[in-house]
Amino acid sequence: MIGILLVLIFLVLMFIGVPIAFVIGIVSFIGVFSIETLPEVTVPIRMLNGIDSFVLLAVPLFILAANLMNHGKISQKLIDLSLSVVGHIRGGLAHSNILVSMIFAGVSGAAQADTAGVGKILIPNMKKQGYDTDTAVAVTAASSTIGVIIPPSIPMIIFAGLTNASIGALFLGGIVPGILIGVGMMTFIYIMALKRGYPRSERASMGTFLKLVFETLPALLTPVIIIGGIITGFFTATEAAAVASLYTLVISMFYYKTLKVSDLPGILKDTLALSSLSLFALAAASALGELMSYYQLSVVAQQFFVDNIGTKWLFILIIIAFFLFIGTFMDAIPAMILFVPIILPTATLFEMDPVHLGLIVVMTLAIGLITPPYGLCLLLAAKIGGLSIERSLVAVLPYILIVIVVLLFVAFFPDIAFFLPKMINPGLFL
């Protein structure tokens, strides 16, 4: 009876618009207080334990690296480089929007930072060059989801912390799917560009291209340093995030000279504000996780799948459908904290590698970034472009379909994603 009441409270609070982190926290308090055998101090203890992790330090540090890039105007330089590569193709500015998101993903691991940084520059420029607002908003929001698939990825770090899966394998496994999503989106844009007559720029000369490569080389080296250091074991994901932040700070201040000491307090304030949202949600989800453990939901879920779902492929489809639904109203971090421990025993029963499960979950929850009512990347892009959420959702649907197609290929043909990590370092897999 208490369980049903807690579910109703959860749904009511969500319906009236209470932020998801507070919803989770309130339900946790009520649930623990209703159980006599659990002391009330359980909630704050679990909340503190939930964020008392060396791995989680990577979250604010990668967000800091992204903010330093945006404030240091490195995003603009990456956009210029992307334009020199694909600008001459019909719909070149939209192609560069996708390409710069793929590059930006290799630095920040945060899709929201990509949407904010790139969107503020490219959405107005696309509108000026004759692109309709729907396309400008949809391309910017959809391509930002690549930020949590191509490494480094904050959700992948969280998943690895929950399951002890290899962060290096997850990072390497996200490269090919991220590229496939980017290529799929660019193909769709090219077809649209031919039909709608979107403009293209003149082909950049080799001299211009090489000049831009030289200018952006320090920024382009960031993902090489991060991923290379992690997969070789030179440093951990958290240490990589610290290196990325320090490296981005140095090149912004001393190489590009686009960042001043006076900018740092504002950057740190923005970083703390964004990080606190994610980490508070994580803490609250940890408390609710204790309550779910009390009710043995993982055992119930495993028994359900054993009794009713006899095949691995059907289990995968159910997991994808479930996280697609959850992602529409919940951020990836609390969603994983709450539900990954429940489904992990069943995945193990079906002999799924945790890395494979992690990539499926992360890619599925990435779609939630562009599906309302949560849809943070879509909300940001729509606000920048001055477009209604309804029109933005309609415009982004084809891109959602592209991500789902790649997701299904990765889910049922995992070698598409994992041939690269297996080739580089087979020891990363269980």
Side-chain angles (χ1 to χ4, degrees), residues 30-178:
I30 295 174
V32 169
F33 288 169
S34 66
I35 300 172
E36 294 182 358
T37 55
L38 287 179
E40 289 80 358
V41 75
T42 297
V43 173
I45 289 176
R46 285 294 296 169
M47 291 181 74
L48 288 173
N49 290 341
I51 57 176
D52 183 18
S53 169
F54 180 70
V55 172
L56 292 179
L57 282 175
V59 175
L61 288 171
F62 274 126
I63 292 174
L64 175 60
N67 284 337
L68 287 169
M69 278 193 66
N70 285 332
H71 284 79
K73 300 180 181 178
I74 298 177
S75 302
Q76 179 64 62
K77 298 182 183 299
L78 295 177
I79 290 170
D80 293 339
L81 176 64
S82 299
L83 272 172
S84 72
V85 176
V86 296
H88 62 281
I89 304 173
R90 179 69 65 183
L93 197 55
H95 291 301
S96 67
N97 195 329
I98 297 169
L99 183 58
V100 77
S101 292
M102 296 168 69
I103 299 172
F104 198 96
V107 179
S108 70
Q112 300 96 311
D114 179 12
T115 307
V118 175
K120 289 177 182 177
I121 300 170
L122 283 182
I123 290 177
N125 285 342
M126 289 179 70
K127 292 167 69 174
K128 287 179 182 177
Q129 290 197 16
Y131 292 83
D132 55 272
T133 305
D134 300 56
T135 298
V137 168
V139 170
T140 303
S143 63
S144 296
T145 61
I146 302 174
V148 297
I149 299 173
I150 290 181
S153 164
I154 291 174
M156 286 182 183
I157 293 170
I158 301 298
F159 184 90
L162 290 170
T163 62
N164 292 320
S166 167
I167 293 179
L170 280 166
F171 277 9
L172 286 174
I175 294 175
V176 173

Side-chain angles (χ1 to χ4, degrees), residues 28-351:
S28 301
F29 272 103
I30 295 174
V32 169
F33 288 169
S34 66
I35 300 172
E36 294 182 358
T37 55
L38 287 179
E40 289 80 358
V41 75
T42 297
V43 173
I45 289 176
R46 285 294 296 169
M47 291 181 74
L48 288 173
N49 290 341
I51 57 176
D52 183 18
S53 169
F54 180 70
V55 172
L56 292 179
L57 282 175
V59 175
L61 288 171
F62 274 126
I63 292 174
L64 175 60
N67 284 337
L68 287 169
M69 278 193 66
N70 285 332
H71 284 79
K73 300 180 181 178
I74 298 177
S75 302
Q76 179 64 62
K77 298 182 183 299
L78 295 177
I79 290 170
D80 293 339
L81 176 64
S82 299
L83 272 172
S84 72
V85 176
V86 296
H88 62 281
I89 304 173
R90 179 69 65 183
L93 197 55
H95 291 301
S96 67
N97 195 329
I98 297 169
L99 183 58
V100 77
S101 292
M102 296 168 69
I103 299 172
F104 198 96
V107 179
S108 70
Q112 300 96 311
D114 179 12
T115 307
V118 175
K120 289 177 182 177
I121 300 170
L122 283 182
I123 290 177
N125 285 342
M126 289 179 70
K127 292 167 69 174
K128 287 179 182 177
Q129 290 197 16
Y131 292 83
D132 55 272
T133 305
D134 300 56
T135 298
V137 168
V139 170
T140 303
S143 63
S144 296
T145 61
I146 302 174
V148 297
I149 299 173
I150 290 181
S153 164
I154 291 174
M156 286 182 183
I157 293 170
I158 301 298
F159 184 90
L162 290 170
T163 62
N164 292 320
S166 167
I167 293 179
L170 280 166
F171 277 9
L172 286 174
I175 294 175
V176 173
I179 293 173
L180 289 176
I181 290 171
V183 171
M185 290 181 180
M186 293 174 76
T187 302
F188 176 73
I189 282 293
Y190 181 72
I191 295 171
M192 283 186 59
L194 292 178
K195 291 182 176 180
R196 301 184 182 182
Y198 290 149
R200 59 183 176 186
S201 58
E202 293 184 7
R203 184 186 295 269
S205 66
M206 183 57 68
T208 301
F209 171 71
L210 292 176
K211 179 184 177 183
L212 288 169
V213 169
F214 179 77
E215 289 179 353
T216 56
L217 186 60
L220 295 174
L221 285 175
T222 309
V224 177
I225 295 170
I226 295 171
I227 307 306
I230 291 174
I231 66 173
T232 58
F234 189 77
F235 41 59
T236 65
T238 301
E239 292 165 345
V243 169
S245 298
L246 181 60
Y247 179 74
T248 307
L249 174 65
V250 170
I251 63 174
S252 297
M253 292 187 70
F254 301 108
Y255 182 82
Y256 294 115
K257 298 180 180 179
T258 51
L259 193 66
K260 301 176 183 178
V261 175
S262 58
D263 297 327
L264 295 181
I267 294 172
L268 292 174
K269 182 180 178 181
D270 290 344
T271 301
L272 289 172
L274 186 55
S275 301
S276 63
L277 290 174
S278 299
L279 293 177
F280 180 75
L282 179 62
S286 298
L288 187 58
E290 178 71 17
L291 190 63
M292 296 168 78
S293 297
Y294 177 84
Y295 286 109
Q296 296 184 315
L297 291 187
S298 60
V299 176
V300 173
Q302 183 173 344
Q303 192 61 47
F304 169 80
F305 282 112
V306 169
D307 293 341
N308 300 281
I309 309 299
T311 59
K312 178 179 176 180
W313 67 267
L314 189 55
F315 169 73
I316 291 174
L317 284 177
I318 291 174
I319 292 303
I320 291 173
F322 176 75
F323 280 107
L324 278 175
F325 170 72
I326 291 297
T328 60
F329 60 87
M330 187 179 295
D331 185 67
I333 292 176
M336 288 192 295
I337 290 289
L338 289 176
F339 300 111
V340 165
I342 293 176
I343 65 169
L344 183 61
T346 307
T348 304
L349 191 66
F350 283 114
E351 299 183 345

